[in-house]
Amino acid sequence: MESTALDHWLSDLNLPTWRYYEEVGSTNDIALAWLDRDAPDSALVVAGHQTHGRGRLGRTWISVPEAGLAFTLIVRPNAQSPFPVERLTALGALAVTQAFKAGFGVDAHIKWPNDVLIAGRKVCGILVELAWQEEQLQGAVVGIGINVGRAAVPPAEGLHYPATSLEEALGHPINRWEVLRRVLEAFLAWRSRLTDPEFMAAWEQHLAFRGEWVQASDGLNPPLVGRVEGLSPEGHLRLRLEDGSEYRLSAGEIRPLPAPFAESSGGEDA
């Protein structure tokens, strides 16, 4: 039944091939094994239900049957499309934000480096994993998890970051396979344009917390406090620290600081 529905939504997208599983541990694991064999570039793995999804830093991604959307795209280096691995996470996030806006009229922003937010709450996470054979990079898998229905949002006490769903933003239920199609359309459109200036401009345009104060941590050094200014050409997060200096965060995560801190630090005009 679900496979037939996917045929309807995906048949004209020019995907080389795709596989649907009613239930898997992780779509990334399935995709990595397929990549190790013969999967072509832009091959797709979709799950009806994912039981052991994962995110960055060893965290889990909870997937709810029929409410959550879990899928992975396989990306291989080829002569036709550039392959800057440092932009693959942004590729997934940008595809989701643009799909939400173009398909459903919902504004979303990219919480650097790998989450998508609606009204400041997490609705999507992206996990990119690389596949190596000795010292040769074979490709990557771009795993995307989206809270489509309200039931996909975990209880608040178990969350690392406040969460929401696309259904909550819309105010009515939505077909998750339509969401998948919209995201895939945007993903495939940007796939060959990762090194274009327009890609960086679109990424920066959708960046969450621009002009706002955040706490940033790379897991190695004490947390920093800075105001988000944008992105460097390498995709690092540019922060303006309290002493006026610029710091570029190459890895880690950020959290917005409460309004009283922003006010004490001079607010938007500091």
Side-chain angles (χ1 to χ4, degrees):
M1 177 72 74
E2 295 287 28
S3 182
T4 302
L6 280 173
D7 277 330
H8 167 74
W9 288 104
L10 307 183
S11 60
D12 62 344
L13 277 184
N14 201 31
L15 289 168
T17 184
W18 57 271
R19 294 178 179 178
Y20 172 77
Y21 298 85
E22 188 63 38
E23 182 174 292
V24 299
S26 162
T27 56
N28 268 23
D29 287 344
I30 299 292
L32 284 167
W34 192 10
L35 175 58
D36 190 48
R37 297 191 299 272
D38 58 355
D41 182 61
S42 297
L44 170 70
V45 175
V46 186
H49 179 217
Q50 184 175 246
T51 60
H52 291 86
R54 58 182 180 272
R56 291 175 66 248
L57 308 176
R59 297 178 183 136
T60 58
W61 177 268
I62 298 173
S63 179
V64 178
E66 300 183 8
L69 179 59
F71 61 99
T72 298
L73 281 144
I74 292 170
V75 183
R76 284 188 183 273
N78 61 64
Q80 290 72 41
S81 298
F83 193 75
V85 295
E86 69 278 2
R87 296 190 180 186
L88 293 180
T89 299
L91 171 60
L94 184 58
V96 171
T97 59
Q98 292 202 335
F100 284 4
K101 182 63 175 179
F104 310 105
V106 173
D107 288 319
H109 295 87
I110 300 170
K111 176 178 174 287
W112 186 93
N114 71 313
D115 293 335
V116 175
L117 308 180
I118 294 177
R121 294 177 174 272
K122 182 174 177 176
V123 70
C124 167
I126 294 98
L127 178 65
V128 172
E129 296 180 286
L130 304 180
W132 298 84
Q133 191 172 80
E134 296 181 351
E135 296 184 358
Q136 182 68 36
L137 180 62
Q138 300 300 300
V141 298
V142 183
I144 301 177
I146 301 174
N147 296 333
V148 177
R150 293 177 186 271
V153 181
E157 59 270 17
L159 292 175
H160 176 74
Y161 196 89
T164 189
S165 67
L166 184 56
E167 181 182 336
E168 288 179 279
L170 289 170
H172 60 78
I174 184 72
N175 187 316
R176 59 178 173 161
W177 303 137
E178 181 180 357
V179 178
L180 173 63
R181 180 194 168 83
R182 297 283 188 175
V183 174
L184 292 176
E185 285 177 330
F187 188 99
L188 295 172
W190 282 112
R191 169 69 179 90
S192 62
R193 303 180 62 197
L194 292 182
T195 58
D196 290 359
E198 291 80 7
F199 179 85
M200 287 299 300
W203 182 7
E204 194 162 47
Q205 179 185 354
H206 289 85
L207 195 64
F209 310 126
R210 287 190 68 182
E212 298 180 28
W213 290 90
V214 299
Q215 183 181 74
S217 173
D218 62 6
L220 300 175
N221 302 297
L224 294 170
V225 170
R227 190 167 59 183
V228 176
E229 295 208 325
L231 298 167
S232 74
E234 300 79 21
H236 299 168
L237 190 68
R238 294 173 46 239
L239 298 174
R240 184 66 59 184
L241 303 185
E242 294 174 280
D243 63 4
S245 64
E246 181 179 280
Y247 183 85
R248 297 189 176 187
L249 192 68
S250 60
E253 59 183 337
I254 61 172
R255 278 184 169 274
L257 290 171
F261 177 87
E263 294 167 2
S264 68
S265 300
E268 293 294 326
D269 300 321

